[in-house]
């Protein structure tokens, strides 16, 4: 582990950098999709399913599991996506300016550009770009508490 950010933040611990960055990219993708599309609600299927009601109770007064699950998803899913977006944008806003530019340009724009186009756009050398990108992703993962510790 050569990552200076993780060495300072977690002395004596080993951080799985690849797994941490995978979790971070997933979180960034979720935040970007919420920013771009909002939240897609699920809807109940209106086709009735005919089942034998052996208990003798009137099933018209009960809420089906499908309807309950969809309602929970629509309420909790939207809140979760919104909170993820707010957490990610707040954490990005706390990074150094060059780190913010790399993260937002690389992960929060449509269509998602390649690393090559980002480092050319920012007028950086390839080596400098990757060094700064790893620094930025490490700081952001630490800020969002997404680090994966190897036991």
């Amino acid at each position: 582990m050569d990552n200076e950010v993780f060495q300072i933040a977690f002395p004596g611990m080993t951080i799985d950098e690849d797994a941490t960055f995978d979790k971070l990219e997933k979180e960034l993708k979720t935040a970007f999709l919420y920013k771009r599309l909002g939240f897609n609600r699920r809807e109940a299927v209106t086709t009735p399913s005919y089942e034998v009601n052996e208990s003798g109770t009137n099933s018209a007064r009960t809420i089906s599991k499908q309807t309950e699950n969809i309602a929970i998803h629509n309420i909790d899913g939207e809140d979760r996506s919104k909170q993820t977006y707010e957490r990610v944008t707040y954490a990005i806003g706390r990074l150094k300016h060059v780190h913010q530019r790399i993260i937002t340009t690389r992960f929060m724009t449509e269509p998602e550009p390649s690393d090559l186009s980002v480092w050319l756009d920012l007028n950086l050398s390839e080596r400098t770009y990757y060094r700064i990108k790893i620094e930025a992703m490490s700081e952001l993962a630490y800020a969002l508490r997404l680090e994966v510790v190897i036991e």
Side-chain angles (χ1 to χ4, degrees), residues 91-111:
I92 289 173
R94 307 279 304 197
L95 296 174
K96 294 178 191 174
H97 181 70
V98 69
H99 293 177
Q100 289 178 15
R101 295 241 355 243
I102 287 174
I103 296 293
T104 55
T105 305
R106 177 68 176 88
F107 298 103
M108 304 289 283
T109 56
E110 180 69 28

Side-chain angles (χ1 to χ4, degrees), residues 119 124-131:
W119 89 59
L124 298 170
S125 70
E126 179 181 5
R127 183 175 176 178
T128 302
Y129 168 77
Y130 281 110
R131 183 180 51 79

Side-chain angles (χ1 to χ4, degrees), residues 32-66:
F32 175 67
L33 285 173
Y34 179 79
K35 173 186 171 187
R36 194 176 63 134
L37 301 173
F39 181 75
N40 293 328
R41 295 182 172 277
R42 291 184 183 167
E43 294 184 17
V45 178
T46 57
T47 307
S49 65
Y50 297 100
E51 297 177 7
V52 176
N53 186 1
E54 297 178 15
S55 65
T57 61
N58 186 356
S59 64
R61 288 181 280 177
T62 61
I63 298 174
S64 71
K65 268 296 198 198
Q66 177 193 17

